[in-house]
Amino acid sequence: MMLKSKKIFAVLAAVAASLSLAACGGSNASDTATANSDKHANDNASCTNKVVHADAQKVTVWAWYPGFEKIVDHFNNSHSDVQVCWNNGGQGGAEYTRFQNTIKAGKGAPDIIQLEYEAMPQFIAGQQKYLVDLGKYGMNSYKADYTDGAWNSVTFGSSSSVYAVPVDAGPFVMYVNQEVFDKYQVKVPTTWAEFEQAGKDLQAKGYTGKLTNWQTDGTAVNIALFAQKGAQVYKYSASDPTKVGIDFDQQGVKDVLSYWQKLSKEGLIDTADQSSTDTMKKFGAGDYATYVQASWFMGYYVKGAYKTAADSPFKIYEAPKWDDSTPDVNQGGSAFAVTYQAKDTKAAAEVARELYGDDYAQKSGVSDGGLFPTWKKLLSSTEFINQTYPYLGDQKANEVIAPVAKGWAGDQFLPFQTYAYDAQQKSFASIVKSGTSVDSGVSKLTSTLQDYAKQQGFTVESVK
Amino acid sequence: MDWVIDMSAIEHSGKHAGSHIRGNPRVFTYVVLIVCCCYFLLPVWWLVVASTKTNGGLFNGSHGSMWFDSTMAFWDNIKQLGTYQDGVYWRWIANSLLYALVGGFGATTVSVMAGYGFAKYRFRGKKTYFNIILGALMIPATALVIPTFLLMSDINMTDTYWAVLLPLMLNPFGVYLMRIYCSESLPDEMIEAARVDGSGEFRTFFQVSLPIMTPAITTVFLLSIVGAWNNFFLPSVVLTNPNLFPITVGLSQWQTRSTAGSASEQIWNLLTSGSLISVIPMVLAFIFLQRYWVGGLAAGSVKA
């Protein structure tokens, strides 16, 4: 018996060893993104879309934008020398994991990949850069086409390097349940002080719902809320990729968290997960008077929660401000990056820029995809500003949103943003929901993340 | 068995007054079974109800989540399943059938042959090989997915049907089960007798051994089919082209499409109706295969 189990352990050990070998095998696959120029490597790639010009060179793309098939068809119809071969590589985290796997394997990555702004640092951190510097392919001459915030989000503080082509963004606004405010005759708040007062007034006049929901899992929302108070919590620059800045221990962060802690104690707000269907149900049932969120929230909740557009009582207002100097902020958005595995780097760089680079594609992105553009030309067009939204009572919502998009300066994120979000979420939930001390909470969070950064081999610097 | 004895005891004692206490085990059994039934069927009931709702109805419908909404949208949902993304849903169902049938058949074939070999032949390193299989049984399949991906990538097989099918064909549990079954229910004497009568090894295997192994084969086949139908993690890693997805990966992609932030599409109604339909083949598989399975296993147990 002893002998038998020993043998089994030996076998297990051997298997485990071969596993770890396999896992290590791929990790030294690349150093820095280099240029390739094989025009025929993608000839046999399998695509979700139809390729119009079968003989032309193919460029592979992973993207999950809604309505992206139209963009692909438009591109392939209008180009005869190059064709897009598109697949949906998964959405958000699922796609990043898949990309990591192909990095380990040293092959299998697409030429062009859709990445959220906050996910990009993890692929350009340290010595290994998996995203191509598009600055070397003339991207800098298109700087003026994009909003400052979007441009800063793909350049990481560099004046010459560009790591992706901006596509969409999520200007931070306030969704207001107009029926509730009309019924109880309460003025829609424009400052955070008025916001709190509106909650109290609504409650006093008999509204049984909550003023809003502070989302326990609303990680990026908090970054936007801090940015409103001028508090930058993360710092990361591609030109100095071994250094990161992390600091929650600053007055702006403390002010924001204390504010929400107070609202929660006063029973004015709900503290439920954003990504639960239960929250969406409450939203549809009129249990929230407002929702302070990115503009894309419309596609996410408003359309989901109501049977018809006419049922929706929501309208978009500017997000509440602290004072006149409160900046416009943003939550979310994504861009097209070119991977180090791109078969023909130069062609991929051009396609990445051209995919959403004309009027048709930009308009389709807005009307078929529900994206909020970062392309200045569209942002300023009268057609865009005058567009009405049925789910918002035919409001010309872009009148409110477009200025926010233009005012946004850009945010910075960490090369281990997922880990940071997890830590952030735990800390803030205990502060706002359970009433843990703000001071000790933020200092503990800061040291936790700084320690993790050091473990990962980064040098921690000041965020200023 | 106990239950049968109790039954007869109840019938006998029923004639005597005041002995109803003996009937309690039966009531208790029913209560437990009914509770179990509700526990397992409630989610299914929810799925049936939810598949008849529109997207808005799912969140904002009348009569709550456990009853039908005022608008009945089941057929509409089915129609949408056929048109959304060019009807890729039915392609996923077909893919799942392919993976389940080919994978299930392959896994069963390999298991039966390997199990039979382990049970009935003596060869060098037999114990070591079997221990390796036992070892493989102890490693969760999930842990092997990334190494499998890297291997597949090395031989340029990612994003092909084979990337899903090949790993499915190896079912250590099936081999283990077949070996146990063969050594318990298949007498060596019978194989000896066949050999003495001049039957070759293949003929012995196909005509003498295989019929006796039917119940175990059905079991392994059913388990492999179910395993292949529910296979999620491996295909989600090795496949990128949606035209190759099985239904599990496809539905999960639709779900992230509905929950993900930026400009998402709301297709919860397609998710619920699509999930309902995806359950049906497995229900059918159980209904048709269970009679062989249960009947066969019982027959085996009596003989043993």
Side-chain angles (χ1 to χ4, degrees):
Chain A
M1 197 55 207
M2 273 304 284
L3 200 71
K4 242 187 189 174
S5 54
K6 259 187 192 166
K7 265 187 189 167
I8 294 175
F9 278 123
V11 169
L12 276 178
V15 174
S18 65
L19 273 185
S20 54
L21 274 180
C24 297
S27 58
N28 53 1
S30 96
D31 297 302
T32 46
T34 46
N36 307 314
S37 57
D38 186 344
K39 293 189 188 309
H40 294 287
N42 287 327
D43 282 358
N44 296 317
S46 58
C47 329
T48 304
N49 59 291
K50 283 195 189 70
V51 170
V52 182
H53 302 281
D55 299 333
Q57 175 185 4
K58 280 192 215 165
V59 170
T60 56
V61 179
W62 283 358
W64 70 79
Y65 293 116
F68 190 61
E69 54 277 1
K70 288 195 181 170
I71 306 294
V72 174
D73 288 346
H74 169 67
F75 184 94
N76 286 348
N77 283 322
S78 53
H79 290 74
S80 55
D81 53 335
V82 60
Q83 296 284 290
V84 166
C85 171
W86 164 62
N87 281 307
N88 182 343
Q91 193 149 351
E95 191 205 54
Y96 310 149
T97 312
R98 193 185 288 275
F99 186 31
Q100 291 285 11
N101 288 341
T102 62
I103 288 173
K104 262 184 222 150
K107 56 180 160 184
D111 299 343
I112 299 173
I113 187 167
Q114 175 187 356
L115 294 173
E116 285 164 290
Y117 300 128
E118 61 185 46
M120 258 175 255
Q122 63 178 297
F123 297 111
I124 52 174
Q127 293 306 308
Q128 298 181 321
K129 286 199 172 65
Y130 302 114
L131 306 182
V132 171
D133 176 4
L134 300 176
K136 292 179 184 149
Y137 297 89
M139 187 62 202
N140 276 304
S141 44
Y142 298 91
K143 180 179 177 181
D145 290 353
Y146 301 95
T147 60
D148 291 350
W151 190 258
N152 290 339
S153 297
V154 296
T155 50
F156 302 94
S158 163
S159 55
S160 59
S161 297
V162 188
Y163 288 94
V165 181
V167 176
D168 72 321
F172 205 57
V173 293
M174 174 166 66
Y175 281 79
V176 170
N177 189 326
Q178 198 68 52
E179 276 173 17
V180 170
F181 279 86
D182 288 351
K183 184 178 168 197
Y184 297 101
Q185 296 186 327
V186 173
K187 182 179 160 280
V188 174
T190 57
T191 66
W192 285 112
E194 285 178 18
F195 188 72
E196 185 185 0
Q197 192 54 47
K200 287 179 182 163
D201 291 349
L202 283 172
Q203 220 167 46
K205 291 181 178 175
Y207 175 56
T208 53
K210 299 286 185 186
L211 174 60
T212 190
N213 181 34
W214 182 86
Q215 304 157 9
T216 37
D217 58 346
T219 44
V221 179
N222 287 309
I223 301 291
L225 288 170
F226 298 151
Q228 272 198 324
K229 258 284 186 183
Q232 180 192 346
V233 290
Y234 298 128
K235 184 182 178 187
Y236 177 74
S237 155
S239 44
D240 205 354
T242 56
K243 289 184 182 163
V244 293
I246 302 158
D247 187 13
F248 287 91
D249 208 346
Q250 45 180 312
Q251 201 51 46
V253 173
K254 290 180 191 171
D255 289 347
V256 170
L257 287 174
S258 305
Y259 177 83
W260 289 99
Q261 190 183 46
K262 187 164 153 235
L263 261 56
S264 172
K265 268 187 197 153
E266 290 168 342
L268 296 177
I269 56 166
D270 195 8
T271 49
D273 277 5
Q274 166 197 296
S275 49
S276 82
T277 45
D278 194 44
T279 309
M280 194 191 284
K281 212 171 161 175
K282 284 186 192 164
F283 188 84
D287 287 348
Y288 299 132
T290 71
Y291 224 96
V292 191
Q293 260 284 358
S295 66
W296 46 253
F297 190 66
M298 185 157 37
Y300 183 30
Y301 271 10
V302 182
K303 277 186 197 164
Y306 296 97
K307 281 189 178 175
T308 65
D311 291 340
S312 161
F314 279 87
K315 282 216 162 32
I316 285 184
Y317 285 74
E318 271 179 57
K321 293 184 181 311
W322 294 100
D323 51 44
D324 289 342
S325 66
T326 301
D328 292 317
V329 295
N330 181 78
Q331 176 206 341
S334 57
F336 276 126
V338 173
T339 73
Y340 76 109
Q341 290 182 21
K343 309 296 181 302
D344 181 353
T345 315
K346 187 165 176 282
E350 272 166 32
V351 173
R353 185 175 48 74
E354 285 180 19
L355 271 167
Y356 279 100
D358 65 20
D359 288 341
Y360 172 87
Q362 283 286 336
K363 278 181 200 162
S364 167
V366 172
S367 49
D368 302 318
L371 306 178
F372 196 86
T374 56
W375 215 45
K376 280 196 209 156
K377 194 178 159 199
L378 182 64
L379 275 175
S380 320
S381 79
T382 25
E383 191 187 345
F384 180 72
I385 298 294
N386 287 331
Q387 185 169 344
T388 56
Y389 290 88
Y391 275 91
L392 300 171
D394 287 331
Q395 184 190 6
K396 289 181 185 171
N398 292 333
E399 283 178 346
V400 182
I401 312 173
V404 181
K406 286 181 194 162
W408 169 47
D411 300 299
Q412 294 185 26
F413 297 97
L414 297 178
F416 45 89
Q417 195 56 42
T418 317
Y419 181 89
Y421 272 161
D422 277 353
Q424 204 184 299
Q425 184 174 338
K426 270 183 222 148
S427 168
F428 298 162
S430 83
I431 290 172
V432 174
K433 277 180 91 168
S434 329
T436 316
S437 144
V438 174
D439 284 348
S440 70
V442 292
S443 85
K444 205 176 139 212
L445 174 63
T446 307
S447 59
T448 305
L449 287 179
Q450 287 183 346
D451 289 348
Y452 183 80
K454 285 172 199 156
Q455 267 176 34
Q456 298 290 310
F458 292 99
T459 312
V460 177
E461 59 174 349
S462 146
V463 291
K464 290 296 166 202
Chain B
M1 277 309 250
D2 284 347
W3 188 72
V4 177
I5 291 164
D6 272 339
M7 284 293 291
S8 59
I10 292 159
E11 274 165 32
H12 281 289
S13 59
K15 289 163 193 160
H16 308 287
S19 56
H20 284 291
I21 304 150
R22 303 212 47 153
N24 279 351
R26 192 178 171 184
V27 175
F28 181 70
T29 312
Y30 273 124
V31 170
V32 170
L33 284 178
I34 289 171
V35 169
C36 284
C37 233
C38 289
Y39 181 77
F40 288 113
L41 286 180
L42 216 59
V44 180
W45 172 246
W46 180 87
L47 187 60
V48 170
V49 169
S51 68
T52 66
K53 295 182 181 176
T54 60
N55 197 49
L58 278 168
F59 293 99
N60 232 347
S62 38
H63 310 129
S65 59
M66 295 309 275
W67 197 249
F68 300 94
D69 189 21
S70 44
T71 39
M72 163 81 184
F74 183 70
W75 299 115
D76 211 44
N77 289 345
I78 303 284
K79 248 188 252 164
Q80 269 191 61
L81 278 180
T83 54
Y84 188 71
Q85 291 180 349
D86 297 327
V88 74
Y89 176 83
W90 297 109
R91 169 113 198 191
W92 292 340
I93 289 272
N95 287 343
S96 270
L97 283 173
L98 176 95
Y99 292 133
L101 291 177
V102 177
F105 184 77
T108 313
T109 313
V110 173
S111 302
V112 168
M113 293 172 96
Y116 181 78
F118 273 125
K120 295 300 166 197
Y121 292 98
R122 255 173 285 163
F123 51 92
R124 190 188 288 259
K126 173 171 159 175
K127 261 193 174 163
T128 316
Y129 291 136
F130 194 66
N131 282 341
I132 291 179
I133 288 175
L134 280 182
L137 224 138
M138 282 172 226
I139 299 174
T142 324
L144 298 176
V145 164
I146 301 298
T148 309
F149 169 80
L150 295 175
L151 287 175
M152 289 289 173
S153 178
D154 262 354
I155 51 174
N156 291 324
M157 256 202 205
T158 50
D159 238 353
T160 62
Y161 282 115
W162 292 111
V164 179
L165 283 175
L166 282 183
L168 277 179
M169 304 243 171
L170 292 176
N171 181 353
F173 180 71
V175 177
Y176 174 77
L177 199 80
M178 286 314 301
R179 182 203 160 135
I180 301 297
Y181 189 86
C182 285
S183 30
E184 299 291 322
S185 317
L186 199 61
D188 286 342
E189 293 81 356
M190 216 165 72
I191 297 172
E192 288 300 319
R195 280 181 190 146
V196 169
D197 287 344
S199 153
E201 290 303 316
F202 276 102
R203 193 168 166 192
T204 313
F205 175 69
F206 282 111
Q207 296 197 336
V208 178
S209 310
L210 217 52
I212 297 177
M213 288 153 73
T214 314
I217 294 175
T218 325
T219 310
V220 172
F221 187 55
L222 195 62
L223 288 178
S224 309
I225 283 194
V226 173
W229 188 269
N230 290 332
N231 196 8
F232 170 73
F233 192 44
L234 178 82
S236 80
V237 170
V238 295
L239 299 178
T240 312
N241 186 345
N243 289 330
L244 301 179
F245 282 176
I247 191 71
T248 45
V249 178
L251 284 177
S252 124
Q253 198 177 73
W254 276 6
Q255 198 224 334
T256 31
R257 215 181 168 91
S258 302
T259 53
S262 184
S264 61
E265 282 171 283
Q266 299 289 335
I267 43 171
W268 296 102
N269 56 328
L270 298 186
L271 269 173
T272 51
S273 46
S275 303
L276 181 74
I277 293 173
S278 77
V279 173
I280 294 171
M282 280 305 97
V283 173
L284 291 181
F286 265 93
I287 290 175
F288 285 114
L289 288 177
Q290 96 170 330
R291 71 179 77 174
Y292 301 99
W293 186 19
V294 176
L297 278 187
S301 71
V302 171
K303 270 178 210 157

